[in-house]
Amino acid sequence: MKTQDIIELEDQFQLATYAKLPIAVERGIGCYLWDADGRKYLDFYGGHCVTPLGHCPPAVVEAIREQAGKLLFYSNVVYNATRARAAELLVSILPSFIDRVFFCNSGTEANETALKLARKATGRPRVVAFKQAFHGRTLGSLSVTWNERYRAPYLEVLGPTTFVPLNNLDAVNEAVGQGDVAAVIVEPIQSMAGMVEVDSSFLTELGNACRNSGTMLILDEVQTGVGRTGTFSISEQMDVEPDLITMAKSLGSGIPVGAVLATRAVADTVELADQGTTFGGGMIAMAAVIATLETVVGEGLMDRAAEIFDSIERGVAGLGVSVRGRGCLIGIELDRPAKPVIAALREDGVLVGGSGDPRVIRLMPPLNTPDDVVDEFLASFKRVMAVPSEASTV
Ligand SMILES: Cc1ncc(COP(=O)(O)O)c(C=O)c1O
């Protein structure tokens, strides 16, 4: 089937909930994707920040194949060696204040689980979240997601949330001072908002404010986790010890998996049947997690992520843009609207993301992107930026 036929068929039978690129992808290797018409793309978008090792990394593909030959799935009603090893490996890579993991299937499910655990542990109903935050689209996570477009139609069923401005300690103190707040949930880098970074000192103070008020701190590392920002958890670069961390996206290299990571103190509040999901901790996902983690750690890819950031920052210097984010979670603030630049890059064979900031493009390259591929991206970016944008004069 050719691209146009695939587009028509999918649009005919799928609910129209997504704004899609006019591309039908067929296969991928490393940093590259090919569409149904044989066109090759350099992929610095990673299907929403999902491919830490690029497409079809051999170690992950092999691990899935081997597991598929043994057992596709069994639920948490039984024990399993692959799940045991994945849990052990994940907890051992994380900072020592993390003691336990709950496996689920996505970022939104991880956040909802963390919110449930915090409400149960504190006996409080309210959550503090930040303006511009994105934590997911299902009803629990939606209650802490800022964008009115997603949230407004469901207000009557969403949990009580106080949204405060990012990096504003007074607003946080006032909110948690009310005594009814179970948790503060924060993305250390607000990716969807345009790679807006939380100040490191604010995060430390936020941690203190939470501790002093008996409020739990949830770090949403759905995008920043799994080494993408240069350390496995971004908390390792900051002076903060959250009570709960959530991860997903990169964790299974494309196999759906989420994780809620909890301190011993949180784990001690959990009782049988507090949370559950049929597919969480399934064997295929766990095999993918093990292979992903072993590769990220074994190949030194967290350090490589930081190098890639530096190369891109150096490479775009002098183009009138500014770079933010960390590691392989990169925002480039342009001197012109992002939309035409994203489209021109795509025409040139490069996929990148947009964001809530109309002048910011997002790059989420694999952590093992080699230097020559970074150079290939930079060459394309320079070609595109060399064409004066009509809109840039606006
Ligand atoms: C920071 C953050 N949290 C949570 C989510 C939701 O993850 P999922 O789409 O896997 O439910 C996303 C998705 O983009 C995200 O960026």
Side-chain angles (χ1 to χ4, degrees):
M1 271 169 98
K2 292 291 184 197
T3 294
Q4 200 46 43
D5 304 323
I6 296 168
I7 289 174
E8 280 166 24
L9 194 61
E10 209 170 299
D11 283 347
Q12 187 183 345
F13 289 105
Q14 268 210 316
L15 279 180
T17 57
Y18 298 106
K20 297 188 183 201
L21 302 175
I23 298 175
V25 298
E26 191 169 88
R27 64 191 175 91
I29 303 173
C31 297
Y32 297 100
L33 273 175
W34 283 263
D35 75 9
D37 300 339
R39 178 150 195 223
K40 184 180 175 187
Y41 292 91
L42 172 57
D43 184 14
F44 269 21
Y45 185 60
H48 286 324
C49 195
V50 169
T51 52
L53 310 175
H55 294 287
C56 299
V60 179
V61 171
E62 195 39 50
I64 293 169
R65 245 191 214 124
E66 200 187 317
Q67 181 60 49
K70 282 198 287 201
L71 182 66
L72 287 180
F73 177 75
Y74 213 91
S75 68
N76 288 280
V77 75
V78 295
Y79 291 87
N80 170 263
T82 311
R83 186 191 297 130
R85 172 70 185 136
E88 177 195 32
L89 186 57
L90 182 54
V91 171
S92 73
I93 296 170
L94 278 151
S96 58
F97 60 83
I98 292 296
D99 196 63
R100 294 291 159 101
V101 57
F102 175 86
F103 285 115
C104 54
N105 307 284
S106 67
T108 195
E109 193 186 349
N111 285 334
E112 297 208 1
T113 302
L115 293 171
K116 271 184 80 175
L117 296 181
R119 284 180 65 145
K120 161 98 190 303
T122 60
R124 300 174 180 176
R126 181 165 292 278
V127 178
V128 170
F130 291 92
K131 292 186 177 177
Q132 316 302 334
F134 185 91
H135 297 293
R137 309 277 194 102
T138 51
L139 290 173
S141 299
L142 191 60
S143 64
V144 288
T145 286
W146 167 251
N147 193 327
E148 284 277 308
R149 203 177 101 226
Y150 304 143
R151 204 159 40 88
Y154 311 101
L155 289 179
E156 78 283 5
V157 289
L158 300 182
T161 303
T162 304
F163 286 98
V164 297
L166 196 63
N167 297 323
N168 184 328
L169 195 61
D170 289 343
V172 167
N173 277 326
E174 194 186 327
V176 299
Q178 306 298 313
D180 65 343
V181 178
V184 177
I185 184 166
V186 60
E187 289 166 89
I189 299 177
Q190 291 185 330
S191 173
M192 299 275 273
M195 297 300 180
V196 179
E197 274 205 65
V198 175
D199 292 342
S200 182
S201 58
F202 171 77
L203 206 54
T204 303
E205 290 304 324
L206 177 60
N208 294 337
C210 285
R211 200 166 308 112
N212 294 338
S213 60
T215 308
M216 295 210 164
L217 179 61
I218 303 171
L219 218 53
D220 177 344
E221 295 219 59
V222 166
Q223 293 218 13
T224 57
V226 196
R228 189 165 281 279
T229 69
T231 50
F232 195 76
S233 159
I234 200 171
S235 66
E236 294 163 66
Q237 299 166 53
M238 298 174 173
D239 186 15
V240 67
E241 291 193 7
D243 301 280
L244 291 148
I245 296 175
T246 55
M247 292 189 180
K249 297 225 187 243
S250 298
L251 196 52
S253 288
I255 299 296
V257 57
V260 182
L261 304 147
T263 61
R264 183 70 197 221
V266 175
D268 284 345
T269 68
V270 174
E271 295 170 301
L272 278 184
D274 275 355
Q275 182 64 321
T277 160
T278 298
F279 284 118
M283 281 83 240
I284 296 290
M286 295 298 100
V289 168
I290 295 169
T292 301
L293 299 183
E294 285 179 345
T295 308
V296 166
V297 173
E299 296 187 0
L301 297 184
M302 301 188 241
D303 293 340
R304 177 65 192 151
E307 281 172 20
I308 290 168
F309 183 92
D310 292 343
S311 300
I312 288 181
E313 193 173 38
R314 268 197 312 275
V316 301
L319 295 178
V321 302
S322 64
V323 178
R324 55 204 199 209
R326 292 184 188 206
C328 286
L329 198 57
I330 305 167
I332 303 182
E333 185 170 7
L334 307 173
D335 59 354
R336 63 194 75 177
K339 250 190 179 164
V341 171
I342 294 166
L345 282 167
R346 193 167 68 245
E347 275 302 298
D348 206 46
V350 176
L351 301 183
V352 302
S355 77
D357 183 328
R359 288 190 176 242
V360 172
I361 66 168
R362 289 186 299 155
L363 314 179
M364 293 151 284
L367 279 54
N368 57 1
T369 304
D371 286 337
D372 59 326
V373 177
V374 172
D375 290 344
E376 191 183 327
F377 164 77
L378 289 169
S380 173
F381 186 67
K382 285 174 188 166
R383 266 194 302 279
V384 165
M385 292 296 286
V387 178
S389 150
E390 218 181 86
S392 69
T393 57
V394 176

